[in-house]
Amino acid sequence: EWEWSEHFSAQPETLRYCGFISEKFDLSRDIEFNTRVTGAHYEEARNIWQVITEDKIYECRFLITAVGVFSVPTWPEIEGINDFQGEAWHTARWPHYPVDFSGKRVAVIGTGATGVQVIPEVAKTAGTLTVFQRRPNYCLPLGNRPITEEEQADIKGRYEEIFAQCASTTGSFLHGSDPRSALSVSDEEREATFERLYNMPGFALWLGNFRGCGTDQEANDFVSEFVRRKISERVNDPELVEKLIPLDHGFGTRRVPMESGYYEVYNQDDVRLIDLMATPFQRITKAGIETTAENFDFDLIIYATGFDAIVGSFRNMDIQGRKGAKLKDYWEDGPVTYLGVQVPGFPNLLTLVGPQNASTFCNIPRCIEQNVEWVSDLMAHMMAYGYERVEAAQTAAEAWVEHSEQMVAMTLIPNTDSWFMNVNQNLPEKKRTFLAYAGGAPRYKQKCDEVAAAGYTGFDFA
Ligand code: NA7
């Protein structure tokens, strides 16, 4: 019933789709809008959760969180950040009206997935654009374009097949990895494959590549070098190329940002790149930004500085389980969950797309469905047996944490800092630990299904 106009939809179309779905299934009657949950306390005697909002307390037997992985934006820790008198926005708190860049002196801080999409848009109309980059990333062309009528018909005729294909791949995207090792093919074949994948839309080069590119340093070096070369071919000034090329980590060990004309922006005379590694911030001033080398005046500062990813929303709510134990304390050294959906000591709390859950590390819209269906089945099981409480056993959770750690240790991800690894330099109190599940969506689903089939092993019911 819905027709997407492009392969990767922009925000207005995505929002229209959400509205369409909400109306179609009459969802809004079950939603309390504009309601901030500040805490949730489990009351053992009555086996209920009290969900505390700013103006009301709700009670429920089961508390299912669906708080997303990027809901808590982080602002940089820079002296004077509130002093700036021009316009300033965080990309995750963008106003619901158009922001006009035309003729303005605009600064963008951050060159992650968001920054590299914002930058080319701003560069189209800004008077000047100054990009403040700390660490460069390996960005890939998104390859977005309109969906033709023939493609539309083809897609609509193949939903089952497309969903089955997604369900079979590690990341639940269409790209399944190439079974050949990057080290076993000739240089020409490797290069030709990289080239083909680079020119495909989406994550093909990241997730559809040779075996070993994400797990073996030598294989990873090949693809990292390939992307570095691509960057150098797209930017004219060799000094800029040097700044834009990542040397501190391998391709794909951090989330790969997808861009549309990002690198070419640096060939514009009115765009500057400031390398914060060479000249760090000193402070934000009334008029703009001061680095160790220069003072800049701006009309608008855009913070594309990321999130307290995955655990941010949990850290922001005062969640208390048995005997008033705080989730924040229990997770201080890193999340402890069973299957990424349940936490010992916090009965009847179920975390969709939570930490240590494969759905946080894949094509999230597809993977959410697995989470929702599995949790729905769990509830049906409880109703069938008359159970009113479910809680993961501590030993089951410890085993899951260990398994999750083993899975990620097989990859190159722990070799670098990223939000995958719970590292956000603006939140130095966070402990470095992998936050998702790297064993892949099919393995995760299989494990969840095995647990269910065996009568929900690892869970205690009452
Ligand atoms: P990211 O990917 O966390 O990127 C944040 C960017 O902001 C990144 O380039 C950071 O540099 C930079 N940053 C953060 N704090 C500072 C300070 N204090 N000074 C300078 N630069 C800073 O967030 P996004 O919103 O781009 O993307 C989030 C996810 O959304 C993405 O991964 C996709 O899954 C969708 P750093 O790399 O830390 O040196």
Side-chain angles (χ1 to χ4, degrees):
E1 288 171 54
W2 181 262
E3 299 217 332
W4 295 104
S5 67
E6 296 179 296
H7 285 276
F8 302 94
S9 69
Q11 184 270 350
E13 193 171 8
T14 309
L15 181 59
R16 278 201 301 281
Y17 175 74
C18 293
F20 169 78
I21 292 296
S22 169
E23 212 164 288
K24 180 175 167 67
F25 295 106
D26 195 12
L27 299 182
S28 57
R29 64 178 181 158
D30 292 327
I31 302 175
E32 298 282 342
F33 289 99
N34 298 314
T35 303
R36 178 174 297 278
V37 174
T38 55
H41 300 169
Y42 176 68
E43 200 186 293
E44 203 159 342
R46 291 196 295 143
N47 186 34
I48 51 117
W49 278 94
Q50 290 201 319
V51 179
I52 302 147
T53 71
E54 273 159 353
D55 50 30
K56 194 172 159 190
I57 294 179
Y58 296 76
E59 292 196 341
C60 58
R61 172 123 302 147
F62 295 96
L63 176 57
I64 302 177
T65 61
V67 289
V69 295
F70 302 119
S71 300
V72 180
T74 49
W75 299 71
E77 284 289 311
I78 311 174
E79 193 192 320
I81 191 160
N82 296 320
D83 294 348
F84 182 61
Q85 293 191 337
E87 208 180 339
W89 298 109
H90 192 292
T91 48
R93 291 290 178 267
W94 203 252
H96 288 217
Y97 55 81
V99 176
D100 183 17
F101 311 120
S102 52
K104 287 184 184 161
R105 298 162 301 174
V106 183
V108 174
I109 304 176
T111 52
T114 305
V116 307
Q117 294 190 349
V118 165
I119 287 162
E121 280 306 309
V122 175
K124 283 179 191 164
T125 53
T128 61
L129 168 61
T130 311
V131 176
F132 292 88
Q133 169 194 272
R134 194 160 56 190
R135 286 193 298 158
N137 285 303
Y138 297 90
C139 309
L140 295 183
L142 177 63
N144 195 16
R145 56 178 175 75
I147 297 177
T148 64
E149 262 178 47
E150 299 79 64
E151 284 172 330
Q152 194 80 258
D154 173 61
I155 291 167
K156 284 188 181 294
R158 292 193 302 117
Y159 282 148
E160 293 303 321
E161 185 192 327
I162 292 169
F163 290 161
Q165 164 77 2
C166 289
S168 73
T169 67
T170 308
S172 278
F173 286 93
L174 285 171
H175 326 285
S177 79
D178 191 323
R180 296 171 299 166
S181 159
L183 308 176
S184 69
V185 295
S186 68
D187 289 350
E188 293 72 32
E189 191 165 358
R190 194 185 309 109
E191 187 71 13
T193 304
F194 287 167
E195 188 68 37
R196 182 175 54 80
L197 297 173
Y198 185 81
N199 291 307
M200 277 172 70
F203 285 141
L205 189 74
W206 189 22
L207 304 178
N209 212 330
F210 292 111
R211 192 161 50 79
C213 286
T215 53
D216 178 276
Q217 194 57 59
E218 203 185 336
N220 184 268
D221 288 345
F222 278 121
V223 62
S224 300
E225 200 41 51
F226 172 86
V227 182
R228 288 186 196 123
R229 247 184 293 127
K230 283 289 176 195
I231 298 170
S232 69
E233 286 164 12
R234 293 173 58 183
V235 179
N236 299 337
D237 177 351
E239 269 181 41
L240 273 181
V241 168
E242 240 173 73
K243 291 179 185 169
L244 287 164
I245 283 183
L247 294 172
D248 67 332
H249 66 283
F251 171 76
T253 56
R254 313 175 83 201
R255 164 54 152 82
V256 176
M258 304 303 296
E259 48 81 27
S260 307
Y262 170 63
Y263 289 111
E264 285 74 12
V265 154
Y266 294 106
N267 298 330
Q268 283 180 219
D269 290 340
D270 49 7
V271 177
R272 272 188 75 186
L273 177 73
I274 305 301
D275 176 7
L276 292 170
M277 302 302 262
T279 56
F281 288 129
Q282 290 273 58
R283 63 185 64 81
I284 308 268
T285 63
K286 275 185 186 175
I289 294 176
E290 221 177 282
T291 66
T292 51
E294 219 174 317
N295 288 349
F296 300 85
D297 288 351
F298 294 116
D299 302 305
L300 166 61
I301 300 178
I302 299 174
Y303 293 91
T305 46
F307 300 86
D308 185 356
I310 304 179
V311 289
S313 297
F314 294 101
R315 281 160 36 89
N316 270 10
M317 292 184 285
D318 174 31
I319 299 179
Q320 298 184 16
R322 287 183 187 276
K323 301 188 174 63
K326 288 176 185 284
L327 185 68
K328 208 176 159 177
D329 295 341
Y330 185 50
W331 281 4
E332 201 182 351
D333 290 336
V336 181
T337 77
Y338 181 40
L339 302 174
V341 291
Q342 224 288 309
V343 186
F346 298 79
N348 293 352
L349 172 68
L350 297 154
T351 56
L352 304 177
V353 199
Q356 289 159 1
N357 183 316
S359 63
T360 49
F361 204 51
C362 74
N363 184 349
I364 293 182
R366 297 249 35 87
C367 291
I368 284 174
E369 292 184 5
Q370 180 276 343
N371 267 209
V372 168
E373 279 158 17
W374 194 87
V375 165
S376 306
D377 288 349
L378 170 69
M379 305 208 109
H381 173 85
M382 291 180 71
M383 283 162 93
Y385 285 84
Y387 294 136
E388 295 191 329
R389 194 174 64 222
V390 59
E391 185 178 358
Q394 179 71 24
T395 47
E398 282 166 9
W400 183 252
V401 173
E402 197 186 330
H403 167 68
S404 302
E405 284 168 357
Q406 283 166 355
M407 289 291 110
V408 74
M410 292 164 71
T411 75
L412 300 171
I413 289 168
N415 295 1
T416 190
D417 287 346
S418 68
W419 61 257
F420 296 162
M421 294 302 300
N422 203 24
V423 177
N424 179 325
Q425 289 183 27
N426 303 309
L427 300 169
E429 75 279 10
K430 277 161 62 105
K431 175 117 189 282
R432 195 177 191 281
T433 178
F434 184 61
L435 286 179
Y437 176 77
R443 180 186 274 114
Y444 175 76
K445 181 177 185 305
Q446 189 191 339
K447 291 206 172 279
C448 289
D449 289 349
E450 280 168 10
V451 165
Y456 295 94
T457 44
F459 288 101
D460 295 328
F461 292 99

